[in-house]
Amino acid sequence: MSGEELVYAAALQVLERGFVQDDSVFTPGRAIWTQANARELASRLAHPSAGAGSSFLDKLRSELAGAGLEVVQLAAELIYFHLLPGSVMKGTTKRVAIRGVFGGMDGAVRLPADLDAALDSGVLKVGVAYNTYRAAQVTWLAEVVAHLKNEPEQARSAFLADPWVLRELLDQLPNTTAAGQRRALLHLAFPDVFLNSLRADHPAAIMQAFSDQIEPLPASGDIEIDFAAFWQAMRAKYRQPVNFFQSPWREQWLAAQQDSEPAASSQPGWLVRGANVAGKNLVPDWLRDGYCALSLPDYGAIAPGLSRIALAKLVRETEPGLSPNQEGARVTLLDRFFNRMKVGDLVVTVNEARVYAGFVTGEPAWAPESPLADRRRAVRWLNAERPFPRADLSDTARDRLSGQLAISDLGETRTEILQLIQVVTGDDEAPEDLGAVDVDDLPLSAAADQHLVVEVRLPLKALPVPGIELADELLVEPGWLAETMDLLNEKKHLVLYGPPGTGKTYLAQALARFAAEQTDGDHRLVQFHPSYAYEDFVEGFRPSTAGGESFRFAKEHGPFRRLVAAAAGNPSGAYVLVIDEINRANLAKVFGELYFLLEYRDRTIQLQYSPDEDFVLPANVFLIGTMNTADRSIALVDAAMRRRFAWQGLFPSVPPVREMLRRWLTRQGLPAYVADLLDALNAEIADRDAAVGPSYLMNRRVDTELGLGRIWRTQILPLLEERHLGEHPDVAAYVLERYGLGALLPRVLTGQSAPDVPSQPSDPDTAVDSTDATAD
C-alpha cells in the first residue's frame, strides 16, 4: 500500500470499529467506543480541571485524572484519528502525542502495525486552526461518538454508506471551533466526495478555475453538494482520478490562490553545541541564564555583517596555521553566528540525549571575561524544565542532531522540533505557523558579565546497557543485544559479519546511535571500498586553492582523525565509527600504523604525515565494522586485524536472525509461511555464508503473490545466479528450477491452512507486480 492508502485504510478501521461498533481500534475485542465512555470523555474535556498544565497533553491528562482506563484509551484513539490525516506533522511526533495520553500509567497499549505505519503519512495539509483548537476538536469527536450511539448499530452503518446522511448527522452538533475536524472526518469517510482540504474557500476556487472545462451543472446552493457533482464530472471527462493538489491540476488553480496568501516562513533553525566545550558542559548554564554561546577567546571584537571574504581574512590573521578545510569551517561558523542567525530563529541544543529548544532574542554580544562562552546570543528557552528525548524524533532529525560542528543548520528538522515542542509544552509557546516570533516582550537575560558556572564531565567508564525496549525495536533477543554491547565495551572494536540481508549495517548503526545518544557523544558512518586509502581514512595531503592563494597541498584530517579529535574533547561521551563493508578495502593499507593502537590503547605513536606529533587513541572511541561473508570470508582478513576485533556473527539459522522475520511478520499481521519459505530456501542453499537474510522479505508486498514473486525474481534469484555463475551452461534456468518459488512454495505450503495461503500464480517466479507504481 502507498502511504495515502494506509491512511484511508486506518481511517476506515476507526470508522467501522469505533463509530459504528463499540470495538477498540488499538485492542480489538474490547468495548472502548461505548456511549457511556464517550459521554464521560466529552464531559471531562468540556469542563477542564483547574490548575491544569500549559500544554494540550498536560490539560488532557489532568482532565482524565480518575477516569477509567477505557475512557483514557478512547481519548488516545480519538487523538489518533484526529492526528492521522495530517501530512505535515511527522509520524514520530504523532506517536509522542498518542503515548502522552496515557502519561506513563499502567495500561498503555501498542498500536497495531498497520495503524502505526499510517501515522508516517498524511492526506491533508492542516493549518493553524486545526492545531490551535485541538482540544475543541477532540471534544467534538467525543460528542459525535456519543450522539451517534443513540442510533442502533444497523442505522450507524448507514451513516457510512451515504455521505449526505453522515454530513447531516455531524451538522446536528455545533462545530464552530471544530470545522476543520468536521471536514477531515468527512473526507476520510468519503475521499471521492469531500475535497482533501480543510480550507472552506478551496472548493469554490477550484470550480471557478476549471469552469471552462466541463458543461455547466445545476447549482443547488450547497457548495459541498455542488463540488461533489463537479468533481465527479471532471473524473468522468478525463477518465482518470483527479487530485487538485497534484500535477497537472494544481498548477491551474493553486498558484493564483497562493498569490493572495502570505508567504510561508523560511526562517532557519540552528543546532548549537554546548555539552562539550573544552571538556566542560555549558548547557545547564545556558538554560539557567537564557543564552547560547561560542568559544572564540583568540578573537577580538567581531562586528556583525562582515562578508565571508572579510571573515576569511580575519581567520587567517588570528589562526594562521589552519588548513584550507579548517579555515573554511571557521569562516562558516562565524558567518552563521554573526550574520545568518537572526532574532526569532529557532535554536536547539542537546545534553545527554535530551533536546532543548528556544528562540533567539538578542544580537551577538561579547563577554571576554568568560572564554568558554565569550560570544553570546540571548535565547528564550521553551522547554528548559521539560526536555524531550532525542529518541522521540525521526531518524532524519536524530541524524541532524549528531555531528561535530559547533553550529549547524537544522533544515527541515526545524519544523519537526517545533511540532514536538508544541506537543510537550503547549500551543502558545511555539507558533503553529512556524514563522517569525514577536520577541518585543520576551525577557532578555544572560548579562555578559555574569559568572559562568560549568559542569565538569567525568571520563566514560562503560557503554550504556541496552534495555528490552531497544531489543524489541530491533527484533532481536535482549541477551544477544546486551552481549554485543558488552563485546564492544570490552574490545573497543567489533565486526558484525554474515550473509546479505541479515541487518548488519542496520544493527551497527542502531548500536552506535544508542551508545552515542545515551552518553552525549557522536557516531559516524564510512564505507570502505577498493580504492579507499589511509589518506582518506586518517589524514593526507590534498590539493587546495582556498583563501584565494595559489594552488597548494594542505594536510587534511579524514573521518577517523576528526572523530578522535571530538572524542578527546569530550571524554565522557562515546564516539562510534561504523565502517560499512570493512573487508572491501585493503585494511593494512587503510589502517597503517593504527594497527598498533588498536591493540595498545594506552600507548602513543607518530602518524606518517604528522611525525612531530604524539597521537593517542582515546578510550571513548569505538569501531563497529560490517562484513558480507558472501563477498569475502573472515579467513581472508589478515590475522593481525582479526585479533584486534571481536566478531559477532549474524546468520539466518541462528539467533538473533533466526526468528527476526517471524517477529516482523507477526508484528505486521502478515502470513507466517513467508518465514518458512526463507528457511526452505536457506536449507536448499546449505551454506551459511551464502544464505539469504530476512531483510529481503521484510516488505509488506510479501502479502500478495505478485509482490512476493517480484521480490524473489528481482532480488533473491540474482544473488543465487551470481553464486552459481560458471557452474552450469544456463545458470538462470538452473537457479530458477532449484530455488524458484515454483520449486519451494509447494513444499512450504503443505499443511498450511487455507486462510494463510495466497492463491498461487501460474508462474510465481515470473509474475509481474502491476501495482508497483503505487505500492508502499
Side-chain angles (χ1 to χ4, degrees), residues 356-544:
Y356 300 86
F359 291 108
V360 177
T361 61
E363 300 295 340
W366 186 22
E369 70 285 349
S370 300
L372 293 181
D374 58 316
R375 316 293 164 155
R376 302 185 178 188
R377 303 293 296 258
V379 174
R380 181 192 181 193
W381 295 105
L382 300 175
N383 64 331
E385 301 299 326
R386 303 183 63 187
F388 57 83
R390 182 157 42 180
D392 282 348
L393 293 166
S394 66
D395 287 346
T396 300
R398 290 166 72 178
D399 286 343
R400 279 278 191 175
L401 298 188
S402 62
Q404 299 157 23
L405 297 177
I407 300 180
S408 54
D409 192 336
L410 290 172
E412 291 301 315
T413 298
R414 172 186 185 271
T415 301
E416 182 178 346
I417 289 174
L418 276 176
Q419 291 170 345
L420 197 50
I421 286 291
Q422 289 170 335
V423 169
V424 172
T425 67
D427 295 332
D428 295 336
E429 295 290 346
E432 177 60 31
D433 64 1
L434 309 182
V437 178
D438 183 359
V439 298
D440 291 340
D441 61 343
L442 300 185
L444 300 182
S445 56
D449 60 352
Q450 278 191 295
H451 179 63
L452 183 66
V453 178
V454 300
E455 175 185 317
V456 179
R457 314 195 74 169
L458 298 175
L460 180 70
K461 291 184 178 180
L463 291 173
V465 179
I468 294 176
E469 295 81 5
L470 182 61
D472 186 54
E473 177 186 337
L474 300 178
L475 301 171
V476 299
E477 289 84 356
W480 180 90
L481 190 62
E483 178 191 58
T484 303
M485 188 65 82
D486 190 52
L487 282 172
L488 181 62
N489 187 59
E490 177 184 345
K491 195 73 174 177
K492 307 289 187 184
H493 324 118
L494 171 72
V495 171
L496 301 178
Y497 67 100
T502 49
K504 299 178 293 295
T505 303
Y506 175 75
L507 291 172
Q509 289 183 290
L511 289 169
R513 172 180 285 168
F514 174 78
E517 291 186 351
Q518 294 298 314
T519 61
D520 207 17
D522 195 13
H523 65 98
R524 280 287 176 265
L525 181 142
V526 297
Q527 187 162 39
F528 279 9
H529 48 78
S531 64
Y532 207 73
Y534 178 95
E535 290 76 11
D536 302 303
F537 186 58
V538 184
E539 64 179 8
F541 286 91
R542 297 183 181 279
S544 173

Side-chain angles (χ1 to χ4, degrees), residues 617-776:
L617 190 54
N620 59 329
V621 171
F622 303 85
L623 303 181
I624 304 178
T626 69
M627 178 174 156
N628 186 349
T629 55
D631 199 26
R632 188 174 183 182
S633 168
I634 298 175
L636 297 180
V637 177
D638 67 64
M641 181 58 71
R642 276 187 282 141
R643 190 177 72 248
R644 287 161 170 80
F645 281 76
W647 297 79
Q648 187 77 307
L650 291 168
F651 294 95
S653 60
V654 296
V657 184
R658 184 172 60 194
E659 298 300 322
M660 189 178 289
L661 180 57
R662 281 186 175 80
R663 292 191 185 102
W664 184 85
L665 291 168
T666 299
R667 188 167 296 179
Q668 299 294 321
L670 298 175
Y673 82 88
V674 176
D676 299 329
L677 181 63
L678 182 65
D679 290 343
L681 172 66
N682 286 327
E684 186 68 29
I685 294 172
D687 180 351
R688 75 168 197 164
D689 287 336
V692 176
S695 67
Y696 290 98
L697 297 173
M698 294 171 75
N699 185 319
R700 293 193 64 85
R701 288 194 181 98
V702 300
D703 196 26
T704 68
E705 61 182 40
L706 291 178
L708 179 60
R710 187 180 69 172
I711 292 171
W712 213 264
R713 173 174 49 85
T714 62
Q715 299 182 49
I716 293 176
L717 293 183
L719 282 176
L720 300 171
E721 288 176 10
E722 183 180 3
R723 178 173 183 259
H724 291 284
L725 197 63
E727 297 178 5
H728 303 276
D730 189 345
V731 67
Y734 170 79
V735 166
L736 183 62
E737 181 181 358
R738 181 175 176 183
Y739 304 111
L741 287 180
L744 297 178
L745 262 179
R747 304 183 216 165
V748 171
L749 297 182
T750 301
Q752 292 282 334
S753 59
D756 293 328
V757 183
S759 58
Q760 189 171 341
S762 56
D763 189 355
D765 299 300
T766 58
V768 176
D769 187 351
S770 61
T771 63
D772 181 40
T774 57
D776 182 28

Side-chain angles (χ1 to χ4, degrees), residues 32-151:
I32 297 297
W33 290 64
T34 65
Q35 186 176 58
N37 289 342
R39 282 177 172 170
E40 181 179 347
L41 177 60
S43 175
R44 287 174 174 272
L45 295 178
H47 302 89
S49 305
S54 61
S55 76
F56 166 70
L57 286 178
D58 282 335
K59 295 173 182 175
L60 179 62
R61 285 191 290 263
S62 176
E63 291 154 9
L64 292 175
L69 180 58
E70 292 79 6
V71 175
V72 175
Q73 185 167 328
L74 176 59
E77 296 190 13
L78 284 175
I79 288 174
Y80 174 90
F81 189 69
H82 168 72
L83 298 175
L84 174 66
S87 60
V88 177
M89 181 179 287
K90 292 284 187 180
T92 47
T93 308
K94 295 176 183 178
R95 293 181 185 97
V96 169
I98 295 165
R99 289 198 307 266
V101 177
F102 293 97
M105 66 181 292
D106 293 337
V109 298
R110 178 194 291 271
L111 269 67
D114 52 345
L115 300 185
D116 183 71
L119 292 174
D120 291 317
S121 301
V123 295
L124 296 170
K125 184 178 180 181
V126 303
V128 178
Y130 195 81
N131 293 299
T132 301
Y133 299 109
R134 180 166 289 137
Q137 293 176 92
V138 175
T139 303
W140 181 78
L141 283 175
E143 291 171 346
V144 168
V145 174
H147 182 61
L148 184 60
K149 300 296 179 173
N150 286 324
E151 304 290 337

